[in-house]
Amino acid sequence: MEEKIKELVGALFAQEQIESVKVFGKRVIITLQNVAEDKEITERLKAAIEAVEGVEKVSIVYTAVKSNVSLKPENPKWEIKGVKKIIGVASGKGGVGKSTTAVNLALALAKLGLKTALFDADIYGPSIPTMLGYEGVGAVSYDGKTFEPFGYQDIASMSIGTLIDKDVPLIWRGAKACGAIEQLLTEVNWGEIDVMVIDMPPGTGDIQITLSQKIDMDGAVIVSTPQDIALIDAVKGVNMFKRVNVPILGIVENMSYYICEKCGTRVDIFGHEGARKTAENMGVPFLGEIPLHIDIRTNADNGTPIVVAKPDSPHTKAYLDIAAKVKTELGL
């Protein structure tokens, strides 16, 4: 019976088009590859096979041609036009000053002569619009297809916060959140950019993994405080990026110390050199220390980051030193 069925199939299709002919008792399943489905031929073949003694049911399946060379990438990269280098600023947990670091790092890179962009991928807690002074201002599109970035002190910026009300929580699953990020990243007229800084969500979830896999990231900057609980999560962040083959540009120790304005005494509120030692133990660069200071916080809240508001301050110098190391690591 099987030989007769193969003969009938072979009369209509070339051998390379017949993927398989399977007989399961009284049922026959025929799989064809690289064949355009034709209803008339399908019905004719089914009728001929059903006429074979012992056959009660016939199924014909059409599949794509099998090839060792994929015609379409399984995981196509997102195309971000005009951007040469992309770095992520990440943290293993929230509350360590990641976004403040991302903003001031981007502005510091611009001060070093690089055409810089800042993208807010912290989709559940976007704070870049507040820090750059465009909170409540809607995104602009001149052609109805692409958005124009917000300009601030020579950097181009975009955030999901421009598309939603600040008091509306985003109750989105990972796939929808990643889709929104892809749209914003790829449908903005960035222009010619030397380096894009991406403020990533805290943790090691869907968005972080998707960004690491869907764009060619040139490196990651991990932000932590000196305290043990933050460093534990910073280690997880470093290991996640290593696992997805994203180079670690280094660790920044934020809120590293406090200098008393009255007596000048240094106080290590959250511990001492925890991030530096962690970097040494993990074999990654230590980029520098950022102090805990009210000027950094208030200027970020007021939309005038410290690197712009007080360019000659020691705090700005700390960000510029970190930016210089990042610039060197990127080969810029």
Side-chain angles (χ1 to χ4, degrees), residues 53-279:
E53 185 178 355
V55 176
E56 291 186 356
K57 186 173 182 180
V58 178
S59 299
I60 300 176
V61 180
Y62 292 84
T63 65
V65 62
K66 288 186 175 180
S67 172
N68 291 328
V69 180
S70 176
L71 299 179
K72 184 177 180 181
E74 291 183 5
N75 292 298
K77 297 281 188 177
W78 297 346
E79 184 181 4
I80 309 174
K81 296 179 181 179
V83 178
K84 296 176 184 176
K85 300 281 187 178
I86 302 175
I87 64 173
V89 177
S91 63
K93 65 187 296 295
V96 298
K98 169 187 56 61
S99 295
T100 303
T101 302
V103 168
N104 283 292
L105 174 60
L107 290 165
L109 287 167
K111 281 185 173 292
L112 295 179
L114 299 177
K115 295 179 180 178
T116 308
L118 175 63
F119 180 76
D120 189 357
D122 194 349
I123 200 163
Y124 299 112
S127 53
I128 300 303
T130 300
M131 295 185 185
L132 294 187
Y134 60 85
E135 184 179 59
V137 180
V140 174
S141 175
Y142 296 126
D143 59 6
K145 297 178 181 178
T146 55
F147 294 108
E148 297 301 315
F150 290 86
Y152 181 90
Q153 294 289 327
D154 297 326
I155 68 171
S157 174
M158 180 54 72
S159 169
I160 188 68
T162 65
L163 303 179
I164 59 171
D165 188 273
K166 68 175 184 177
D167 297 325
V168 176
L170 284 181
I171 309 174
W172 289 356
R173 294 187 184 275
K176 188 172 183 180
C178 291
I181 288 175
E182 178 185 7
Q183 182 180 6
L184 278 181
L185 262 177
T186 60
E187 296 181 9
V188 170
N189 295 321
W190 293 110
E192 294 301 316
I193 298 295
D194 293 319
V195 58
M196 172 181 281
V197 177
I198 298 183
D199 179 23
M200 302 183 75
T204 54
D206 283 350
I207 295 175
Q208 294 87 335
I209 295 171
T210 299
L211 282 168
S212 301
Q213 294 175 334
K214 289 293 189 177
I215 61 179
D216 293 319
M217 295 187 70
D218 297 280
V221 173
I222 308 298
V223 180
S224 179
T225 59
Q227 64 190 119
D228 290 344
I229 191 67
L231 292 170
I232 291 171
D233 291 320
V235 169
K236 294 177 183 177
V238 170
N239 287 333
M240 184 206 76
F241 283 111
K242 284 184 175 181
R243 189 166 296 182
V244 293
N245 298 316
V246 173
I248 305 297
L249 299 175
I251 297 178
V252 172
E253 184 172 272
N254 197 34
M255 308 181 203
S256 180
Y257 56 88
Y258 171 72
I259 301 294
C260 178
E261 296 183 1
K262 293 184 178 181
C263 66
T265 302
R266 170 172 170 153
V267 182
D268 296 314
I269 296 175
F270 297 114
H272 182 60
E273 293 191 335
R276 183 189 296 273
K277 293 174 183 176
T278 298

